[in-house]
Amino acid sequence: MPIKSESTLRVVLYEGDGAAPLDDSFAAMTALLERGYAVTRTTSGGSVAPQTRGSLLVLGKFSDGRAPLAESATADVSVRFHDIAGQDAAGITALVEKERDTTGAAKHGEWKPWFPVIDYDRCTNCMQCLSFCLFGVYGVDDESRIQVQNNDNCKTNCPACSRVCPEAAIMFPKYKAGPINGDLVSSADLQREKMKIDISALLGGDVYSMLRARSEKAQSRFSKERDEGKALAERQKCLVKLAAAGDIPAEVLMSLPSPEEIARRAEEAKAKAAAALAAQRTP
Amino acid sequence: MPKILYCHCQYAQVVPKDVKETVLRKLCESGVAFDAVADLCEMAARRDPALAQLSASGEVKIAACFPRAVKGLFHQCGADLAADKTEVLNMRTLRAEEVVARLAAEDLRVNIPMKGGTIAE
């Protein structure tokens, strides 16, 4: 199931009226965050964002030792209460995990949230990213504006599309260095982008053609020599160069589909980009 | 007081652990109400409506990463942050004490980049 379709469980650590302060809210909060939950701490003062959808689990040390009866604020929100007096962080986490199972809410941590984020202040809608990506991460909206549509299709730790963007408009917030990590774009970065850090150019031609050629060469060798090890070594040698040029994880390159499938997907992506560009030009 | 959102950046090691821990601990000790999320990126990928609720609820201070990235994440979620109501505290570059001080301050120092304002001097 795409992650966009999954419901989530939000936990509230309640320390407001009618409840005592928690003994160690930091430990409880840390344990829950490490399990991937969103946690709201409410007190008598201050306010937090309201909940409009999904399941809400309210935990507290309630004054009469009993949790209040659950009442949904709206039809779209399911609310449950639990008294956690005497529970440590591990006990609270176990309780929340059990509740998550009951509600069928998403289990976190099975996917590393790695995907491109577009800086629309910089993006010129040139569609190079759409044309480049083989994995269907990008698409266009109703107004032919580029957007990230399938975040979970992105290949973990691969920032390759950000390197084909001529405007440095593609960020990966978990990347190590700027401006890809979201740091401000410097003049020096722009100069580099103007030179178009194009991994295909670095490798002396279209990247997919290069991969195809290398793979065919490796396959040919394999068929002649019947030596799977040599074919693999050849492919690895080629991919090491590509990985270094674009900071693309070797495992991403090694898991690329067959040359035929690469060609098919590349054509499909280019066609989508061309259609979007044509739609932009249509008044 | 502006609302507070803290991001634990759970699925990457790009925010120093000691900074995250200190900021979270001080928030818990302060007695203020706040929202904490395991990972803002994951929430944005889910198009979690909680982000829209937060962005629409007035002034907010967000302890996370680079303001440009945070702005983009909210936008991707269909929850544009108001430039005049948002302060982003970058735990990748600021010291924990600086983040804590800004979260505790009553004033808001808006800082998400505007169009044309993403070039470093």
Side-chain angles (χ1 to χ4, degrees), chain A residues 3-4 6 8 10 25-26 29-30 33-34 36-43 45-50 52-53 106-109 111-113 115-117 119-122 148-149 151 168 171 173-176 179 181-187 190, chain B residues 1 3-4 6 8-12 14 17 21 24-25 27-39 41-50 53-54 57 65-69 71-73 75-76 92 113-120:
Chain A
I3 58 166
K4 280 189 273 188
E6 294 178 338
T8 54
R10 180 174 167 191
S25 59
F26 171 72
M29 182 77 81
T30 301
L33 291 172
E34 287 177 352
Y37 292 100
V39 188
T40 295
R41 192 269 196 101
T42 60
T43 59
S47 60
V48 293
T52 55
R53 197 184 77 179
K107 189 170 186 180
H108 301 275
W111 171 68
K112 178 178 177 178
F115 53 85
V117 176
D119 179 348
Y120 286 96
D121 292 339
R122 304 196 60 80
V148 176
Q149 287 184 340
N151 303 58
M171 301 173 280
K174 296 191 187 310
Y175 190 67
K176 60 192 172 198
N181 62 9
D183 199 355
L184 293 182
V185 181
S186 69
S187 301
L190 270 188
Chain B
M1 278 287 283
K3 289 185 174 60
I4 293 173
Y6 163 88
H8 200 59
C9 196
Q10 174 62 22
Y11 303 114
V14 292
K17 194 165 185 279
E21 278 185 8
L24 183 59
R25 184 181 294 280
L27 275 173
C28 289
E29 289 171 359
S30 71
V32 298
F34 66 97
D35 285 302
V37 299
D39 198 291
C41 290
E42 196 211 26
M43 286 187 89
R46 288 185 185 283
R47 311 294 193 260
D48 195 314
Q53 291 297 319
L54 188 85
S57 63
C65 57
F66 290 99
R68 192 164 78 99
K71 179 184 179 183
L73 285 167
H75 179 84
Q76 193 174 109
R92 289 182 74 158
M114 307 282 280
K115 184 108 184 156
T118 60
I119 305 289

Side-chain angles (χ1 to χ4, degrees), chain B residues 23-110:
Chain B
V23 172
L24 183 59
R25 184 181 294 280
K26 294 292 182 187
L27 275 173
C28 289
E29 289 171 359
S30 71
V32 298
F34 66 97
D35 285 302
V37 299
D39 198 291
L40 198 49
C41 290
E42 196 211 26
M43 286 187 89
R46 288 185 185 283
R47 311 294 193 260
D48 195 314
L51 295 186
Q53 291 297 319
L54 188 85
S55 67
S57 63
E59 293 186 337
V60 61
K61 293 185 181 185
I62 303 172
C65 57
F66 290 99
R68 192 164 78 99
V70 173
K71 179 184 179 183
L73 285 167
F74 271 79
H75 179 84
Q76 193 174 109
C77 204
D80 283 328
L81 290 164
D84 61 340
K85 292 180 179 169
T86 308
E87 177 174 357
V88 177
L89 301 157
N90 184 356
M91 293 193 290
R92 289 182 74 158
T93 58
L94 293 173
R95 288 182 297 115
E97 296 72 26
E98 294 173 304
V99 177
V100 169
R102 285 306 310 148
L103 289 174
E106 289 193 10
D107 66 311
L108 190 76
R109 295 181 187 167
V110 297

Side-chain angles (χ1 to χ4, degrees), chain A residues 134 206-220 231 235 238-239 253-268 270:
Chain A
L134 288 176
D206 175 74
V207 64
Y208 300 127
S209 302
M210 189 277 304
L211 277 173
R212 210 159 39 239
R214 289 285 186 163
S215 184
E216 279 163 5
K217 194 174 167 188
Q219 277 180 0
S220 162
R235 191 176 185 203
C238 151
L239 294 179
L253 295 174
M254 292 303 288
S255 66
L256 281 172
S258 67
E260 294 75 22
E261 181 62 10
I262 287 176
R264 190 191 67 74
R265 290 193 201 177
E267 286 306 316
E268 196 176 278
K270 281 177 186 165

Side-chain angles (χ1 to χ4, degrees), chain A residues 18-74:
Chain A
L22 299 179
D23 298 326
D24 191 349
S25 59
F26 171 72
M29 182 77 81
T30 301
L32 292 169
L33 291 172
E34 287 177 352
R35 294 294 182 111
Y37 292 100
V39 188
T40 295
R41 192 269 196 101
T42 60
T43 59
S44 299
S47 60
V48 293
Q51 176 90 352
T52 55
R53 197 184 77 179
S55 303
L56 201 60
L57 178 62
V58 183
L59 308 175
K61 286 170 66 178
F62 300 107
S63 53
D64 59 359
R66 286 191 312 170
L69 292 174
E71 262 185 48
S72 295
T74 71

